[in-house]
Amino acid sequence: MKKTLALILAACMSLSLAACGGGNSSAPAASSKPATSQPAASQPAAGGDTKTVGIAMPTQSLERWNRDGAYLDEQFKAAGYNTIVTYSDNKNEQQVNDIQNMLSQGVDLLVIAAIDGNGLNTVMNDAGAAGVPVIAYDRLIMNDNSTYYVSFDNYTVGKLQGEYVRDALDLDNAAGPFNMEFTAGDPADNNAPFFFNGAMDVMKPYIDSGKVVVPSGQTAFDAVATDQWQTDVALDRAQNVLASFYADGTKLDAWLCSNDSTSMGVTQAVTQDYAGGNAVVITGQDGDVANLRNIKDGKQSMTVYKAVANEAVVTLDLAKAILEGKTADASLISASGWDFDCAYDTESYETTPGHKCPSFLLVPDVVTADNMEEKLVTPGYYVVGADGYLEATNG
Ligand code: BGC
């Protein structure tokens, strides 16, 4: 069995049905990990000097992090490491405490998906002083003690969303003008501007030429950002925009959302409050189960899928190399045997001006109603449930 699929099946066995089976993307998904920030130390593996890896995830209230936490925990344990896994309820202070506790417990390496990329300086400096390597997981930590960064190509995620809207509206051929709005992510998340810029770079020429109009006038990242990626925050803003700029019958053609939790709020607002009869093109990211239902039902148009199981594979192999004192650069990819693409990038991500963080970047993919089964079911990430909708694999 391929390395990736074996991992997914193993990891999903540790997820409860609720975590695998979905629910609203803004609702906590149950998992085998505690919902509190209390560190959950795994049983020591055999052997005297078993190394311990601290895995700090942001929250269980956004679906994907439950998957990431479970995959990482499962993999590191299977490779013989002790693990400590925390979820910090999207509170920066809590994550600082959680990481501090891990350092006190003598972890050998940290894997951190930061809540606030600028909010971890104290613990990152402590980790640096203690010689504990840190893998910034998915979200870059803006501190030079970030030893490596493992993520997807975040700019490309946004670019894929922009290109989807461009093609769905046939902007190069249709007369237009078309009306669209934007919803971006959390300003504390270093990824969020990458997603937004990738999308905006595709859309801007059409906005500049007048082919695309943004009736709200809100085209700057700060104006369309969503605190903590919350569904309710995205919903509120979308309702306000619809009431202020579309209540007079103005047609809405597309709403570019940076991810699925925000897309969920926008889709709800459009479904309830938009009076027009046309289908609105709405984008997303992550493949959250509730959003996949909306895609199948035609309420959301696409999601950019990132195989987080593969992100965990890269993280484990990188961590092993670091802990064993081996070279961790592009040669890790050639020697890996991974059955997916990954690029080694030493240019794109800076933790402080001029200080680049070596990065391993995986490749995101577009999922629609038409290719959902091919992209998600065939590789084993999801199964088709009894009701015909996709459910995450539960072993
Ligand atoms: C991740 C996205 C996710 C978002 C909210 C970002 O940092 O890259 O996959 O949708 O956080 O959880």
Side-chain angles (χ1 to χ4, degrees):
M1 194 183 308
K2 286 194 170 168
K3 195 169 181 179
T4 321
L5 183 57
L7 158 74
I8 295 163
L9 296 177
C12 269
M13 294 186 65
S14 74
L15 283 169
S16 75
L17 269 179
C20 284
N24 189 302
S25 68
S26 66
S31 123
S32 58
K33 300 298 148 313
T36 69
S37 65
Q38 291 308 307
S42 68
Q43 294 305 308
D49 71 349
T50 305
K51 293 207 163 34
T52 300
V53 175
I55 300 167
M57 294 289 110
T59 177
Q60 291 191 300
S61 68
L62 294 162
E63 184 180 314
R64 70 157 287 183
W65 304 110
N66 296 279
R67 288 200 293 271
D68 294 85
Y71 288 139
L72 287 163
D73 186 40
E74 190 69 32
Q75 278 208 88
F76 275 100
K77 280 182 182 161
Y81 295 98
N82 290 332
T83 59
I84 302 172
V85 182
T86 57
Y87 294 88
S88 308
D89 201 20
N90 256 346
K91 298 190 175 85
N92 181 61
E93 279 312 304
Q94 195 168 318
Q95 191 167 48
V96 168
N97 288 337
D98 290 339
I99 296 168
Q100 200 67 67
N101 283 338
M102 292 176 181
L103 288 170
S104 312
Q105 291 179 64
V107 290
D108 297 285
L109 181 140
L110 285 163
V111 176
I112 302 173
I115 293 163
D116 180 345
N118 289 300
L120 296 178
N121 277 324
T122 307
V123 276
M124 288 296 288
N125 292 341
D126 290 350
V132 175
V134 177
I135 298 176
Y137 181 83
D138 200 83
R139 300 170 169 177
L140 189 60
I141 306 166
M142 311 314 281
N143 180 288
D144 294 349
N145 290 306
S146 303
T147 321
Y148 285 95
Y149 179 43
V150 175
S151 193
F152 282 78
D153 181 336
N154 296 303
Y155 181 86
T156 297
V157 170
K159 189 164 166 269
L160 292 173
Q161 294 166 338
E163 289 171 351
Y164 185 90
V165 172
R166 179 195 66 196
D167 296 346
L169 299 181
D170 196 15
L171 292 180
D172 288 329
N173 300 303
F178 295 95
N179 294 327
M180 76 177 287
E181 300 292 337
F182 293 83
T183 290
D186 185 354
D189 178 350
N190 187 62
N191 288 350
F194 278 86
F195 300 145
F196 179 75
N197 291 336
M200 190 49 97
D201 284 353
V202 177
M203 298 313 304
K204 192 164 183 311
Y206 301 102
I207 296 173
D208 289 347
S209 73
K211 180 72 72 80
V212 168
V213 176
V214 182
S216 71
Q218 296 170 12
T219 54
F221 173 78
D222 288 344
V224 302
T226 308
D227 195 33
Q228 297 204 333
W229 297 94
Q230 289 180 72
T231 299
D232 288 353
V233 175
L235 169 66
D236 281 354
R237 178 172 163 269
Q239 286 178 322
N240 286 335
V241 167
L242 289 172
S244 305
F245 303 99
Y246 294 85
D248 62 357
T250 299
K251 189 177 178 210
L252 172 67
D253 294 291
W255 201 308
L256 195 145
C257 300
S258 284
N259 87 329
D260 279 353
S261 60
T262 54
S263 187
M264 187 57 69
V266 166
T267 300
Q268 192 180 325
V270 168
T271 306
Q272 289 169 1
D273 299 341
Y274 173 58
N278 62 300
V280 179
V281 177
I282 300 178
T283 65
Q285 169 188 191
D286 287 337
D288 286 355
V289 169
N291 296 74
L292 294 175
R293 293 181 81 92
N294 278 351
I295 292 174
K296 191 170 165 58
D297 289 345
K299 295 181 186 165
Q300 180 177 325
S301 313
M302 61 87 85
T303 190
V304 176
Y305 185 69
K306 303 189 299 191
V308 296
N310 296 344
E311 199 173 3
V313 169
V314 174
T315 304
L316 172 66
D317 286 353
L318 174 60
K320 268 190 194 162
I322 297 169
L323 289 170
E324 290 167 12
K326 294 185 179 150
T327 309
D329 57 17
S331 62
L332 188 76
I333 300 173
S334 35
S336 68
W338 299 332
D339 60 355
F340 51 84
D341 291 331
C342 181
Y344 182 63
D345 180 330
T346 54
E347 287 304 316
S348 301
Y349 289 94
E350 278 188 352
T351 48
T352 54
H355 189 280
K356 315 268 189 195
C357 186
S359 307
F360 290 88
L361 302 177
L362 294 97
V363 181
D365 204 2
V366 170
V367 167
T368 62
D370 289 342
N371 70 9
M372 205 179 260
E373 295 207 9
E374 172 206 337
K375 298 282 183 183
L376 301 180
V377 178
T378 307
Y381 301 133
Y382 295 76
V383 291
V384 182
D387 60 3
Y389 292 101
L390 298 204
E391 298 170 1
T393 319
N394 56 36

